[in-house]
Amino acid sequence: MPVLSERMSKLGTEAAFQVLARASELQRAGHDIVNLCIGQPDFQTPEHIVEAGRKALADGHHGYTVANGILPLREAVVADLHRRHGVSLSPAQVLVVPGGKVTMFFAIMMFGEEGTEIVYPNPGFPIYESVIRFSGATPVPMRLHESNGFSFDADEVLALITPRTRLLILNSPANPTGGVVPKAELDRLVAGLERHPHVAVLSDEIYGEMIYEGTHTSLTTYPQLADRLILLDGWSKTYAMTGWRLGYGVWPQDLAVHAERLAINCHSCVNAAAQYAGIAALTGPREPARQMVAAFAERRSSIIPALDALPGVRCVLPGGAFYAFPNISGTGLDSRTLQSRLMEEAGVATLSGTSFGAFGEGYLRLSYAASLPMLSEAVRRIGAFLEQATPASRAAAGVTA
Ligand code: PLP
């Protein structure tokens, strides 16, 4: 029998992929499933981007590229960040990687080891906690509360920092809550971080262009953090490019060499044609990305009030991303049971809040990157299920047994 390293037992996973597999299995068996479990835009990659990828292949870009990404792509990343946030960064700080996740993996592995702590949002993207454990570090959850729109209180975050803290992970706009951290709170956090110069910060801003309330403040706009901030971003969400596997990190100059060494050990470089497509995305027409955000905004206005009106459910209006994170504790069902019964009995694929950490209990995540008719059908099915299946609705109807 091959013997696995102890470390392998610490690695978690992302439930979305398992639920997606179950939804596909049910669909193959002839069930009609409304799929709101996966976090990807339901749009095709805009044609001018696809064409750039096609052209790169036709032009013979079939070999390795430099490990950190072709220079015109890294220049385009820097120009895009200047356009969006007014910041001046260097292409030498940019490491192009196969998807947003890779920057996360590298940053956590770079700082995490036995005896250290990493602070991360909970409920939050599940890979943070999984990789923190894998690295040997202790995951320290930063609990996010519905009562403040799933933003955070800077003092609460700062209170979690100890001499053992190596890395603080932030994600705004957030998965799974759609929460957006206001600039005033970031100002207070950054001011407080000056007392903790040993702590690096990973800012996951992959939903930075999907914002419906207020504005997105990038942590790159705080020069005080320049020597310890890692920005995680990429093309997956903004340009509907999840399958191209293209993302980037912007690293402090001193850390960029370490990140590049990890890349060389891991994947050498990113698919060359995808990199050319990435240039077209950043430098070409912005209208397709704008239209996609407008569609998400319309869907948000439709699904959030509809969820909020269901028995036992209340739902805060998310400021960004494309997720609804309704509180379902009033249904009397725990979130894993509700996820599984909605799939099996109502034909709606969702994710339990606990797929995003222990503090997700009492919530469900629905991706509204789906058409309006699909969203209203999902809400209709969930409503019908709750009406007949949950203790809360039976109590409301005066049924006692
Ligand atoms: N960060 C967050 C918060 C996400 O939700 C996701 C994907 O769902 C990622 C990073 C990873 O994105 P990618 O598919 O580009 O690896």
Side-chain angles (χ1 to χ4, degrees), residues 99-101 104 125 128 171 175 204 206-207 236-237 245:
K101 262 182 186 166
M104 193 182 296
F125 190 55
Y128 304 141
N171 174 217
N175 179 8
D204 182 343
I206 203 150
Y207 297 100
S236 295
K237 316 288 174 174
R245 307 312 300 138

Side-chain angles (χ1 to χ4, degrees), residues 28 36 102 135 151 216 304 324:
R28 274 197 308 278
L36 305 185
V102 180
S135 77
S151 172
H216 164 61
I304 305 300

Side-chain angles (χ1 to χ4, degrees), residues 58-247:
D59 289 351
H61 294 291
H62 304 167
Y64 293 124
T65 73
V66 284
N68 56 350
I70 55 175
L71 183 59
L73 179 57
R74 287 181 291 115
E75 286 172 343
V77 165
V78 163
D80 186 59
L81 291 169
H82 185 266
R83 175 187 68 80
R84 286 160 60 198
H85 310 306
V87 293
S88 297
L89 297 157
S90 157
Q93 294 176 256
V94 178
L95 179 70
V96 177
V97 281
K101 262 182 186 166
V102 180
T103 300
M104 193 182 296
F105 194 84
F106 286 3
I108 295 170
M109 293 308 285
M110 198 180 284
F111 292 105
E113 62 184 328
E114 296 290 338
T116 67
E117 295 171 359
I118 297 181
V119 180
Y120 73 103
N122 186 330
F125 190 55
I127 301 304
Y128 304 141
E129 183 178 339
S130 165
V131 181
I132 294 168
R133 288 190 192 284
F134 189 65
S135 77
T138 302
V140 177
M142 170 207 309
R143 186 172 188 165
L144 301 180
H145 301 280
E146 179 186 346
S147 53
N148 62 0
F150 297 107
S151 172
F152 57 67
D153 179 303
D155 294 327
E156 270 181 40
V157 178
L158 291 164
L160 298 172
I161 294 177
T162 74
R164 288 182 299 282
T165 310
R166 289 267 179 89
L167 181 67
L168 166 64
I169 303 178
L170 303 173
N171 174 217
S172 173
N175 179 8
T177 63
V180 175
V181 181
K183 179 170 186 317
E185 213 54 52
L186 291 176
D187 288 349
R188 293 203 311 127
L189 180 74
V190 172
L193 282 173
E194 296 202 25
R195 295 197 306 275
H196 306 288
H198 63 293
V199 177
V201 179
L202 171 65
S203 185
D204 182 343
E205 302 184 14
I206 203 150
Y207 297 100
E209 297 215 57
M210 296 180 168
I211 194 118
Y212 318 105
E213 306 279 324
T215 50
H216 164 61
T217 303
S218 172
L219 280 184
T220 57
T221 56
Y222 294 89
Q224 310 91 302
L225 290 183
D227 62 348
R228 51 178 163 144
L229 175 73
I230 301 148
L231 170 71
L232 181 162
D233 207 332
W235 287 258
S236 295
K237 316 288 174 174
T238 312
Y239 301 101
M241 291 177 73
T242 51
W244 292 73
R245 307 312 300 138
L246 191 62

